[in-house]
């Protein structure tokens, strides 16, 4: 009789909120009233609509199908390829449109931040970017908001470019002025010594012609402190966590070449895609190498709260008014571009939730 060998321990209780049998989702956000929104960037799947609301278990294009149909004559008022969505806790869904299907050069006017009024389900304002802010290499990835500074608040956006400099883009929501910060800095750039390993194999670009290249993505993960004074961020191709004062980010009197002096290093948190902050100051982050979700306490202590083989690439996080942590699990690492053109993803993709007994961090 063969002995029963010890096995890796898995832990953490989660619930399946929604199963996706169509296009692969990346983003999720739960509003203050419990409405759930998801987004589907155009990376090769058949994307019928790039932003959706989950209504009674069904996906409905949001705010409507027309807005999700690309109209070249009015590109600023239509969604091109949305990577991230964030409900701000006070009646607005912020839609971050890369304007860059399949990681192409962003379409002029297509890369934008859009404010959608949740009470009327209509676009209230569109913020577009100049060519010195959204570069030909830019990939707008995630956004965090704070309405306690400035006349109308500020937005902070990560540029997670794979071909150009990473950065944090700062947007004055009053006048729409935007500028790049930490452009090409060490903290916003891929770690050149980092070699990600997912499901026991090294993750790298593997092309149909047999050629390969390292997986290199710049600043991606993003979370803002409870008081809005600190921004936490991390490159996708890295296990390191950094933070910087939002006041320093906004202060253009500090030259960008000197801004890295304000960056703080928090240590290794694991390689994460999504991050989010709770009302107690806890930062939640994925660990896509280890099928895990981790929390970082305000004192810097880190703890893994879930480790499960079904957490196949935890992407975006959101915290709902029900004190659950919501996370998109989308098998991003199984895409064809990492496997010589063979798509190894298995449907369904999933939206999971974990009870954390913590509300989302306030924005106002």
């Amino acid at each position: 009789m063969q002995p029963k060998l010890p096995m890796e321990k898995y832990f953490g209780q989660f619930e399946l909120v929604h199963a996706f049998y169509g296009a692969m989702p990346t983003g999720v956000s739960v509003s203050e009233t419990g409405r759930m929104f998801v987004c589907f960037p155009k990376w090769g799947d058949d994307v019928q609509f790039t932003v959706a609301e989950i209504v009674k278990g069904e996906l409905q294009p949001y705010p409507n199908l027309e807005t999700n149909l690309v109209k070249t004559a009015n590109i600023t008022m239509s969604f091109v390829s949305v990577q991230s969505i964030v409900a701000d806790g006070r009646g607005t869904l912020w839609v971050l449109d890369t304007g860059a299907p399949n990681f192409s050069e962003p379409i002029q006017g297509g890369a934008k931040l859009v404010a959608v009024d949740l009470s009327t389900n209509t676009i209230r304002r569109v913020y577009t970017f100049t060519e010195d802010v959204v570069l030909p290499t830019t990939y707008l990835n995630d956004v965090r908001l704070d309405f306690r500074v400035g006349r109308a608040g500020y937005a902070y956006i990560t540029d997670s470019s794979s071909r150009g400099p990473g950065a944090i883009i700062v947007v004055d929501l009053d006048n729409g002025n935007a500028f790049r910060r930490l452009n090409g800095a060490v903290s916003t750039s891929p770690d050149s010594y980092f070699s990600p390993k997912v499901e026991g194999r090294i993750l790298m670009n593997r092309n149909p012609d047999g050629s390969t290249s390292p997986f290199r993505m710049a600043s991606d993960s993003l979370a803002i402190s409870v008081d809005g004074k600190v921004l936490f961020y991390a490159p996708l191709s890295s296990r390191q966590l950094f933070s910087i004062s939002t006041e320093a980010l906004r202060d253009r009197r500090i030259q960008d070449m000197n801004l890295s002096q304000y960056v703080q290093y928090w240590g290794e948190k694991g390689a994460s895609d999504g991050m989010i902050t709770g009302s107690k100051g806890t930062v939640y982050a994925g660990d896509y190498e280890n099928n895990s979700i981790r929390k970082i306490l305000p004192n810097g202590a880190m703890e893994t709260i879930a480790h499960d083989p079904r957490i196949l690439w935890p992407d975006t996080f959101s915290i709902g008014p029900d004190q659950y942590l919501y996370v998109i699990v989308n098998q991003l690492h199984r895409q064809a571009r990492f496997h010589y053109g063979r798509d190894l993803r298995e449907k369904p993709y999933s939206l999971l939730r974990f009870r954390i007994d913590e509300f989302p961090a306030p924005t106002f």
Side-chain angles (χ1 to χ4, degrees):
M1 182 177 178
Q2 292 289 329
K4 185 177 181 181
L5 299 177
M7 293 180 64
E8 186 172 0
K9 298 289 193 297
Y10 297 111
F11 55 89
Q13 298 292 320
F14 63 78
E15 302 172 27
L16 175 65
V17 178
H18 190 83
F20 302 87
Y21 289 91
M24 185 184 87
T26 59
V28 60
S29 195
V30 183
S31 77
E32 67 274 17
T33 60
R35 294 172 70 181
M36 284 182 230
F37 302 91
V38 290
C39 61
F40 308 86
K42 295 174 183 175
W43 289 352
D45 289 342
D46 181 17
V47 175
Q48 300 293 319
F49 35 83
T50 188
V51 179
E53 181 176 6
I54 302 175
V55 180
K56 296 180 180 178
E58 300 292 330
L59 294 173
Q60 295 185 0
Y62 188 82
N64 50 54
L65 183 58
E66 184 183 4
T67 304
N68 282 269
L69 300 176
V70 178
K71 298 180 288 292
T72 53
N74 194 9
I75 201 75
T76 59
M77 293 300 288
S78 59
F79 297 155
V80 179
S81 180
V82 172
Q83 173 69 27
S84 184
I85 45 174
V86 175
D88 64 9
R90 60 173 206 169
T92 300
L93 182 72
W94 296 84
V95 177
L96 186 62
D97 192 346
T98 67
N102 291 312
F103 300 97
S104 63
E105 181 176 329
I107 300 167
Q108 189 169 11
K112 55 191 175 290
L113 179 64
V114 182
V116 182
D117 189 318
L118 289 174
S119 62
T120 61
N121 301 314
T122 57
I123 293 175
R124 189 173 66 244
R125 186 165 178 181
V126 178
Y127 299 84
T128 56
F129 304 101
T130 55
E131 292 179 358
D132 61 331
V133 175
V134 168
L135 312 178
T137 57
T138 290
Y139 191 82
L140 301 177
N141 197 292
D142 210 347
V143 59
R144 293 294 176 262
L145 304 129
D146 182 18
F147 302 103
R148 291 160 290 197
V149 288
R151 295 179 60 179
Y154 275 79
Y156 307 95
I157 300 169
T158 45
D159 179 349
S160 66
S161 176
S162 62
R163 310 185 310 278
I168 294 172
I169 296 169
V170 180
V171 187
D172 184 335
L173 297 175
D174 176 47
N175 54 30
N177 288 342
F179 47 95
R180 295 174 70 87
R181 298 296 260 163
L182 296 171
N183 186 61
V186 171
S187 63
T188 58
S189 300
D191 180 350
S192 58
Y193 296 101
F194 172 68
S195 182
K197 302 167 190 68
V198 191
E199 291 195 85
R201 295 186 173 93
I202 291 176
L203 179 67
M204 61 193 309
N205 301 309
R206 295 181 173 92
N207 304 312
D209 63 5
S211 62
T212 63
S213 62
F215 176 67
R216 295 281 183 266
M217 298 288 287
S219 47
D220 180 328
S221 306
L222 197 59
I224 194 166
S225 63
V226 174
D227 58 9
K229 293 182 178 179
V230 178
L231 196 71
F232 299 91
Y233 62 97
L236 185 62
S237 298
S238 171
R239 300 185 185 99
Q240 319 302 325
L241 176 63
F242 302 94
S243 73
I244 189 169
S245 153
T246 53
E247 182 180 7
L249 277 178
R250 295 190 304 271
D251 188 351
R252 300 192 73 178
R253 293 172 299 181
I254 304 172
Q255 292 187 342
D256 202 54
M257 67 179 69
N258 299 326
L259 195 58
S260 290
Q261 298 174 19
Y262 296 82
V263 172
Q264 291 193 339
Y265 175 59
W266 287 72
E268 281 203 9
K269 56 148 179 37
S272 64
D273 197 331
M275 284 198 313
I276 198 80
T277 315
S279 59
K280 299 175 184 177
T282 311
V283 174
Y284 295 89
D287 180 350
Y288 60 74
E289 290 185 292
N290 295 292
N291 310 99
S292 298
I293 295 172
R294 192 160 290 128
K295 68 178 181 180
I296 301 110
L297 300 176
N299 64 4
M302 300 186 191
E303 177 187 343
T304 301
I305 63 172
H307 175 49
D308 192 290
R310 293 167 291 184
I311 305 176
L312 286 166
W313 199 284
D315 201 315
T316 304
F317 290 90
S318 181
I319 300 175
D322 53 6
Q323 301 187 62
Y324 276 85
L325 177 71
Y326 290 77
V327 57
I328 289 285
V329 174
N330 60 15
Q331 306 168 56
L332 184 150
H333 62 290
R334 291 182 174 181
Q335 290 179 97
R337 65 192 181 106
F338 302 120
H339 300 281
Y340 303 109
R342 291 182 300 127
D343 186 358
L344 303 182
R345 296 171 299 172
E346 298 176 54
K347 294 179 182 178
Y349 315 112
S350 58
L351 171 59
L352 310 178
R353 71 174 189 174
F354 301 78
R355 181 78 186 185
I356 58 170
D357 297 318
E358 188 169 6
F359 292 106
T363 59
F364 59 97

